[in-house]
Amino acid sequence: GQHVVGHGARLPGLEWQPSEADPSRLSSINAYVAEAALENLRPAIALDATAPGWAGQIAAVDLIMLSNLLHLISVAETGVLLQEAAAALAPAGRLVIYGPFMRAGELTSTGDQSFHASLQAHDPEIGYKDDFDVLDWAEAAGLTPLRIIEMPANNLALVLEKS
């Protein structure tokens, strides 16, 4: 909820449709949306971005913003997400992926090393994805990298455009 309210407030010319796979989190997102009372924010919908076929269930969109998810899903789920996002985007639509990444195969801080290790101890299928791998997978899905932006707390924003 905090992310979509921040985006909605800073970009009032865009209409924002938050989504969440976990039904228990929808009410939290909707509480943030209701409190913000911004006209460009819709109530959250249930959507699992790692499930095949979700792109066919929505109208084409100009922008998909993904925050802090890739390190919490498997490589296979990341591939599905990228394929579906590419299918859901309108021509020249953009996908922005924000979060922590390995940089050229390296974890660049002790905090990232610890967090990645804790994620993999919980589930060996998840953890930080390599920035170059994600860019390769995105290109295979029909997304062209436009920008890589260094963000606070050692995160990146990958800006991709539908080819």
Side-chain angles (χ1 to χ4, degrees):
Q2 292 171 324
H3 284 116
V4 76
V5 167
H7 296 317
R10 287 174 184 85
L11 298 166
L14 299 178
E15 189 169 327
W16 293 88
Q17 174 62 74
S19 64
E20 172 59 52
D22 183 347
S24 67
R25 293 186 183 144
L26 289 173
S27 61
S28 173
I29 294 168
N30 286 329
Y32 278 102
V33 168
E35 182 179 316
L38 297 172
E39 291 187 23
N40 62 334
L41 298 182
R42 293 182 182 173
I45 61 169
L47 188 143
D48 181 352
T50 66
W54 66 261
Q57 300 170 11
I58 64 170
V61 295
D62 295 319
L63 173 68
I64 297 173
M65 178 73 199
L66 182 71
S67 297
N68 292 319
L69 180 61
L70 291 194
H71 59 289
L72 301 175
I73 63 176
S74 70
V75 168
E77 290 169 319
T78 300
V80 169
L81 182 149
L82 292 168
Q83 291 286 337
E84 291 294 323
L89 288 169
R94 294 197 177 165
L95 170 64
V96 178
I97 303 173
Y98 168 82
F101 291 87
M102 280 187 249
R103 313 292 174 87
E106 299 292 324
L107 295 164
T108 58
S109 74
T110 56
D112 283 342
Q113 292 166 359
S114 295
F115 187 43
H116 176 71
S118 71
L119 290 169
Q120 292 211 304
H122 175 71
D123 181 349
E125 296 285 318
I126 67 172
Y128 284 30
K129 308 298 180 285
D130 183 73
D131 55 354
F132 291 146
D133 288 343
V134 173
L135 294 171
D136 287 345
W137 302 332
E139 285 188 283
L143 299 166
T144 302
L146 294 181
R147 292 184 66 196
I148 300 171
I149 305 166
E150 293 284 340
M151 301 297 287
N154 207 28
N155 290 310
L156 292 176
L158 307 180
V159 182
L160 310 161
E161 184 175 73
K162 184 171 183 171
S163 303

